[in-house]
Amino acid sequence: MSIHLRSASALALALSLLTAAPAIALPDNASDTTAGTTSPTPGSDGLGDPYYPQDGNGGYDAVHYDVAIDYDPPTHHLDGTTTVTAKATQDLSAFNLDFAGPPVESVAVNGAPAQFQRQGEHELVITPGAPLPQGQSFTVVVDYAGTAADTKGNGWTYTPTGGAFAAGEPHSATTWYPLNDTPLDKATFTVHATVPTGWEVASNGIRTGDVPAEGGHTVTWEAKDPIIGYLTTVAIDKFTKLEQRLSEKVNLESYFAPDAAKQKQKLEKQLPGVLTVLQDLYGSYPFESGGGIYVDTDLRFSLETQTRPIYAPWTDMNTVVHENAHQWWGNSVSVKDWRDVCLNECFASYTADILWPERKNHRDPDAIYLRALARAEQRDIWSIPLYDAGKGNEFTTVYSRGPLFLHALRRTIGDDVFFTAVRDFAESHRNGNASIPELRVFFQSRTGEDLSGFFDAWLNGTERPAEEYLYPGSLGDRSAQQTVDAPDSEEEADWPFGDGDRK
């Protein structure tokens, strides 16, 4: 049966607008017709990210997203009502949301119909009936409906059963709900998903509701910690569920698509142990829940969607460690712009590729480093810098050069300084944003040794760093380089680090 139900909150809104005139989509040549004032101005249609300058929007801060969707697996039809709660940061005559999903049917601002038009790849331009003064809180309700396009891993993605999930970096959320799509504007997030009987829903945060609906049920998930758009997800499938606990306060809830149910539950049962090791490294787990979502689609990457990563079928322990390290690095502490992606990937890769084998399997971290370094030239890891790699190169050398950089830094300043600084940086930027330049300054403040040459070579250089930066501290013992421990597998003998698809 095809289901096209709205959530209770969406129905209430619709009833309140029955007597109002419908919102009118503006033609492409429309202009702002707000009368009587020239003071309010439109918010910018982007925030100037060096790689994605039209990501995000100016003039307001998003506070909360309430997303109600009805999804019909047989037809892939998606009905959506998204309510954005925000606060104006200037006197606004108009503002944008980022949205590339199904056709928009109507827009309301503070309960009154608003004009709207779609521009470019993802701009939804909204003109309220009256300007919004600076400092005012306001709500935007966007109704949309249509067949949801399959982006095949760049947002809304179909599964073999007819279900769907959302995953992609640096973008994905715009394919299924409108938002301010920038790392700089974190907000809390609620999703209500209505699906047919027999289908299950997984998302971020805590599952807070499951109520009957015509022909199915509506499942509610709430993320009370602030979150970035690409880290939000919803997954709809005939899932099997696994419940575990990290502590009295942190529940771990994981979901397995039909083909993943048997083969991946054994792996996911190790999650409490993984998170315990990560807490020892980086401080207390930063969110209210955890878990994982195992899909059975031919997905080329896994992704650190907040609290509950999306896992591709090839997922292994390295992937689980990597994506959960992101809960600290990338999710709690997030980039300021996409030049800073080493903040996410260098730490997650170092955790999975060196720290986990060291802590869990008692491997020699220097030996892992030296073996990887010996093979580095074959991978051309030096020509692309770790900081400001350039658009399209963000997710390249961060997986190989990144963990080498952090281990060399650790050997330069010593374990005590390194691990204390790492924990302090993560805690001081909890639920916020940071940059690689800020990370440099922070580490420099913890040591009397001048690190400028080291950082320039490892983060900004496009050539192999000098020997003094490649072999600091214990790494400078050339005898150790002759006694590198044997790899555990043929795959590790080829390259001991992740292959770059494990985002």
Side-chain angles (χ1 to χ4, degrees), residues 251-281:
N251 184 55
L252 306 177
E253 198 165 326
S254 303
Y255 290 81
F256 305 84
D259 286 350
K262 292 183 179 180
Q263 59 178 322
K264 294 303 180 184
Q265 282 206 27
K266 182 178 179 181
L267 177 64
E268 186 69 358
K269 286 179 180 178
Q270 300 179 66
L271 179 59
V274 170
L275 293 176
T276 297
V277 171
L278 298 183
Q279 287 188 128
D280 289 342
L281 291 168

Side-chain angles (χ1 to χ4, degrees), residues 45-97:
D45 65 353
L47 294 179
D49 184 282
Y51 301 163
Y52 307 99
Q54 284 196 292
D55 279 10
N57 305 283
Y60 65 93
D61 286 330
V63 176
H64 183 71
Y65 299 102
D66 188 286
V67 182
I69 61 170
D70 305 335
Y71 181 68
D72 182 47
T75 63
H76 301 300
H77 188 91
L78 179 71
D79 281 349
T81 297
T82 292
T83 302
V84 183
T85 303
K87 185 175 183 178
T89 58
Q90 66 179 64
D91 293 332
L92 276 176
S93 61
F95 59 92
N96 290 19
L97 292 171

